Amino acid sequence: MFKKILIANRGEIACRVIETARRMGIATVAVYSDADARARHVRMADEAVRIGPAASRESYLRGDIIIQAALDTGAQAIHPGYGFLSENTDFADACAKAGIVFIGPSATAITAMGLKDRAKEIMSKAGVPIVPGYMGAKQDSATLKAEAAKVGYPVLIKAVAGGGGKGMRLVEDAKDFDEHLNACKREAAASFNNDHVMIEKYITRPRHVEVQVFGDSHGNAVYLFERDCSLQRRHQKVVEEAPAPGLSQAVREKLGDAAVKAVKALGYTNAGTIEFIMDSKTHEFFFMEMNTRLQVEHPVTEMITGLDLVEWQLRVAHGEALPLRQDQLSINGHAFEVRIYAEDPAENFLPQIGRLTALSAPFGVRMDTGVEAGDAVSIHYDPMVSKLIVHGANRTEALQKLSSALAGTVIAGLVTNQEFLGNIARHPAFIAGDVDTGFIARFNDDLLPENYGVADLHDLAIASVYILSGAMNVIQGDDIWDVADSWRMNGVLTRTLDFVNRGGHKKVSVTCAGRDFDVSVDGKSVRVSRDALNHAKIAVDGNDLTLLRDGRVIRLHLYTPGADGEGEAGEGRIIAPMPGKIIDVMVKKGASVDKDQPLLIMEAMKMQMTIRAAFAGTVEELPVIAGQQVSDGALLIAIEQKEAA
């Protein structure tokens, strides 16, 4: 076995590979950018090498520097993780030329599966069913639009070099085709330096079912069953489970057989995933693409098989045969994985940045993460905080564990999608296994109700009692007992607190009488005992408080006049919600604009967002240009509102 390997990645997957390598007695080398100098994967590894500045293109995408780091440290192999260079043919080739083992498939296999149109041709010849569509070389808009009409709407426009939801648009009507095509090509060129697209028939209410496969250099190939990844937002996976719910054994075996055909057609080695689109009613399935690497959701497969897929990767890369034959593999129970992101679902899932002040999961829950309390989520990389993975004897038990895990996980310091994920886990349709890729959009109002993240009377009462019981030092570090307002825990006295929650102020009046507190908000009252704190999960960061109650995540800020900022800009002055880059400016200074008109496009945290006018008016200020980097809070555009006639 290898004595030392280098992990050409960061964050959660780098930590995951290090854990297996450590168990196997293999030394590890981490690489890091300037932004990751003190990151968890750097702290975990036996050695660490700086590879460049924060920008990925100058660090984690610099294959030449990474290979040199492996040579300098004596690493015999490189594990690419996922993302970055994991499916880069040139990098795999360069590793081989340098005498370093690439822990993944051959460059030939990566190339074959790297372009979706070529991959479908190979799969079709191998007898794997594919979705009807157009994969031709002609890329003019007239040809593509004509082919879409032949396929029949709705259709998907997909970048042939795409992945992760990038370069993909659903078109439901011919009149919208050109707009979506241009957007898809622009995004594909920016993300993959390749704007070629293909057209696919869009299956109504489809499921996304994928099969984990492995091949070795001895001609063996197996499938490790399927995962259902249908719950997606913007074509990116949110919840994954294994096995897929509601499939018969016959369908499961057909999926596996088709996946193994694909592996053998390629002479594929190491870990891979064959992704299928499945009709949710008939369970008919078609090949979509193959990911020639380990997937983010691989832990659910590990949970139902009892295997370590990273260990399998290392053994196969070292030239060993697959540890087990197909007839030795079986499914044990059910598993779920959810991805907790630093993003605000109530604000169109806007990515967040900041420092984690608390991060913990309940005992017995698997948490794969690249950060710990005290670490920062940076603008430079994917905003995933952690993955929660649970296993049960069956789907019902596993889902109960997932709901409990989400309710008991404590994350503080920045906004996440934790409550949103909990709402999915508790939704009746999800509990029933009624899943497809439109689930989140269809049940959006249930998953993001009007009171999402909004503190109710009981939330504010518990937070107030927590503060006034002396558990939290507030107001610029002063202890609550030092405030000269005659408050005491004994006697009937009243104190007023001012909380900010979801942008609104809540005045809370608290009267103490012994061990009980009478709390009033907006004319409504409730009595709370100090004993209620024993059942509350609360995390504190300065004047900020995060409360977990009944699966909800409530973030509160104790407002102090004079200590807080001047307030937000008016609706007409649009500021950057976080650091980012201006991709396109669609108006000029002095121009008249209509309500909801697109003004500019900004990219931050790997996501493009379109800034629109809040009302009709005139562009008064426009201090930014395309290509400009902007800081958090920078003025992007100012609109003078048009007076009503």
Side-chain angles (χ1 to χ4, degrees):
M1 181 44 64
F2 306 116
K3 300 295 183 185
K4 182 187 291 187
I5 64 170
L6 180 145
I7 299 99
N9 216 299
R10 64 176 301 281
E12 170 265 323
I13 185 56
C15 296
R16 167 72 188 86
V17 174
I18 290 170
E19 288 172 355
T20 291
R22 180 184 293 162
R23 180 177 59 77
M24 296 176 68
I26 302 169
T28 55
V29 180
V31 294
Y32 64 90
S33 69
D34 290 341
D36 279 340
R38 298 181 61 81
R40 183 171 182 254
H41 74 281
V42 174
R43 302 194 298 266
M44 286 180 64
D46 298 298
E47 301 174 60
V49 179
R50 178 188 178 273
I51 53 172
S56 298
R57 65 181 178 276
E58 299 178 48
S59 52
Y60 294 107
L61 292 173
R62 286 293 302 273
D64 55 338
I65 295 175
I66 290 171
I67 288 173
Q68 189 59 52
L71 293 171
D72 291 344
T73 56
Q76 301 158 291
I78 292 179
H79 194 300
Y82 37 70
F84 294 136
L85 297 169
S86 62
E87 294 178 288
N88 186 295
T89 304
D90 293 338
F91 182 64
D93 266 336
C95 286
K97 290 176 182 176
I100 296 171
V101 175
F102 179 77
I103 302 172
S106 67
T108 302
I110 296 174
T111 300
M113 293 295 102
L115 297 178
K116 290 180 171 61
D117 51 355
R118 185 178 174 189
K120 289 196 172 185
E121 290 177 8
I122 294 171
M123 292 301 113
S124 181
K125 289 177 182 178
V128 180
I130 64 169
V131 182
Y134 173 75
M135 300 178 289
K138 291 185 178 181
Q139 290 289 303
D140 61 281
S141 59
T143 297
L144 292 170
K145 193 169 186 177
E147 292 295 337
K150 289 179 186 178
V151 171
Y153 289 92
V155 300
L156 275 178
I157 306 174
K158 298 173 70 173
V160 299
K166 296 281 189 181
M168 184 185 300
R169 293 292 189 280
L170 170 62
V171 188
E172 299 185 82
D173 194 295
K175 66 181 175 58
D176 301 320
F177 185 86
D178 290 336
E179 178 187 348
H180 287 299
L181 175 63
N182 292 334
C184 191
K185 278 182 166 287
R186 182 175 64 243
E187 191 172 89
S191 299
F192 314 111
N193 198 31
N194 183 342
D195 71 350
H196 278 225
V197 299
M198 55 189 284
I199 308 295
E200 274 186 0
K201 176 67 179 173
Y202 182 75
I203 297 175
T204 305
R205 294 198 67 171
R207 289 175 64 175
H208 180 129
V209 179
E210 61 188 32
V211 179
Q212 177 70 59
V213 293
F214 253 95
D216 64 24
S217 56
H218 304 275
N220 302 307
V222 298
Y223 66 93
L224 285 79
F225 311 107
E226 81 284 352
R227 302 183 285 254
D228 192 299
C229 306
S230 297
L231 262 72
Q232 301 178 9
R233 189 186 61 79
R234 295 175 183 157
H235 302 292
Q236 293 186 325
K237 299 164 188 173
V238 176
V239 181
E240 299 102 357
E241 60 180 300
L247 299 191
S248 67
Q249 185 60 28
V251 171
R252 178 164 291 121
E253 290 176 1
K254 285 181 181 178
L255 277 167
D257 290 343
V260 169
K261 280 182 183 177
V263 173
K264 290 186 174 179
L266 288 167
Y268 190 87
T269 59
N270 219 277
T273 302
I274 313 293
E275 300 197 352
F276 296 97
I277 188 168
M278 175 180 284
D279 187 300
S280 59
K281 292 183 179 179
T282 66
H283 292 174
E284 186 180 14
F285 58 86
F286 306 96
F287 172 83
M288 279 201 304
E289 62 182 342
M290 181 178 189
N291 289 299
T292 53
R293 53 174 167 79
L294 198 66
Q295 292 277 85
V296 177
E297 57 272 21
H298 75 272
V300 291
T301 296
E302 293 184 323
M303 300 298 269
I304 65 166
T305 60
L307 303 172
D308 183 331
L309 299 193
V310 174
E311 179 179 344
W312 274 44
Q313 284 192 292
L314 293 170
R315 294 196 180 282
V316 168
H318 193 253
E320 297 180 22
L322 292 176
L324 297 173
R325 301 185 311 271
Q326 190 68 58
D327 61 3
Q328 294 174 305
L329 295 166
S330 60
I331 296 173
N332 174 30
H334 204 94
F336 285 96
E337 173 185 293
V338 293
R339 307 183 189 192
I340 298 180
Y341 279 97
E343 62 185 13
D344 189 350
E347 295 293 337
N348 197 27
F349 294 87
L350 185 68
Q352 307 289 300
I353 57 174
R355 191 167 299 279
L356 287 162
T357 55
L359 177 63
S360 64
F363 178 77
V365 174
R366 175 174 170 178
M367 175 186 276
D368 286 12
T369 181
V371 291
E372 296 174 338
D375 291 341
V377 174
S378 160
I379 184 178
H380 302 291
Y381 312 113
D382 188 89
M384 187 166 72
V385 175
S386 67
K387 302 183 307 194
L388 289 185
I389 306 104
V390 298
H391 178 264
N394 50 53
R395 189 175 190 270
T396 299
E397 181 181 302
L399 194 50
Q400 289 172 342
K401 288 185 177 180
L402 177 63
S403 181
S404 178
L406 284 164
T409 295
V410 178
I411 303 173
L414 71 174
V415 178
T416 74
N417 62 341
Q418 181 181 351
E419 182 177 339
F420 173 74
L421 295 171
N423 289 345
I424 292 175
R426 292 186 295 273
H427 196 279
F430 188 68
I431 292 171
D434 181 15
V435 295
D436 60 74
T437 57
F439 182 96
I440 289 176
R442 187 163 61 255
F443 295 113
N444 183 73
D445 291 346
D446 297 336
L447 306 178
L448 287 171
E450 289 186 4
N451 68 339
Y452 184 91
V454 177
D456 62 21
L457 174 61
H458 288 272
D459 299 325
L460 293 167
I462 290 173
S464 299
V465 172
Y466 182 80
I467 292 170
L468 297 176
S469 295
M472 176 179 174
N473 288 339
V474 294
I475 310 174
Q476 297 179 324
D478 293 333
D479 192 284
I480 201 76
W481 301 105
D482 294 334
V483 179
D485 66 351
S486 302
W487 170 270
R488 292 292 181 269
M489 291 293 288
N490 298 316
V492 182
L493 296 168
T494 299
R495 177 79 189 270
T496 299
L497 300 175
D498 188 352
F499 289 107
V500 179
N501 167 245
R502 297 300 321 177
H505 282 263
K506 291 290 184 180
K507 297 280 187 181
V508 182
S509 176
V510 186
T511 300
C512 173
R515 294 188 63 82
D516 291 334
F517 296 78
D518 290 320
V519 182
S520 298
V521 182
D522 296 333
K524 297 180 180 179
S525 300
V526 66
R527 173 160 287 196
V528 178
S529 167
R530 289 181 65 188
D531 295 335
L533 298 180
N534 298 331
H535 306 290
K537 287 186 177 294
I538 299 174
V540 175
D541 178 25
N543 277 27
D544 294 318
L545 179 149
T546 301
L547 169 68
L548 277 81
R549 193 171 75 86
D550 298 331
R552 303 180 68 232
V553 182
I554 306 299
R555 289 174 54 84
L556 298 165
H557 174 73
L558 185 62
Y559 179 75
T560 309
D564 289 281
E566 295 293 326
E568 298 182 0
E571 283 186 316
R573 294 178 61 81
I574 302 174
I575 62 174
M578 64 179 64
K581 181 179 180 180
I582 303 302
I583 301 300
D584 190 16
V585 177
M586 298 132 101
V587 294
K588 294 182 179 179
K589 187 174 179 180
S592 295
V593 297
D594 297 324
K595 185 177 185 296
D596 293 327
Q597 179 178 333
L599 305 174
L600 53 87
I601 297 173
M602 177 178 170
E603 184 175 73
M605 301 288 281
K606 296 185 178 181
M607 183 184 78
Q608 288 190 5
M609 60 192 87
T610 301
I611 308 298
R612 299 177 182 272
F615 41 68
T618 304
V619 178
E620 189 177 44
E621 295 181 63
L622 185 60
V624 298
I625 60 173
Q628 180 179 340
Q629 295 284 343
V630 294
S631 60
D632 183 12
L635 177 67
L636 301 180
I637 192 168
I639 307 294
E640 182 178 358
Q641 188 167 11
K642 181 180 179 180
E643 293 185 9

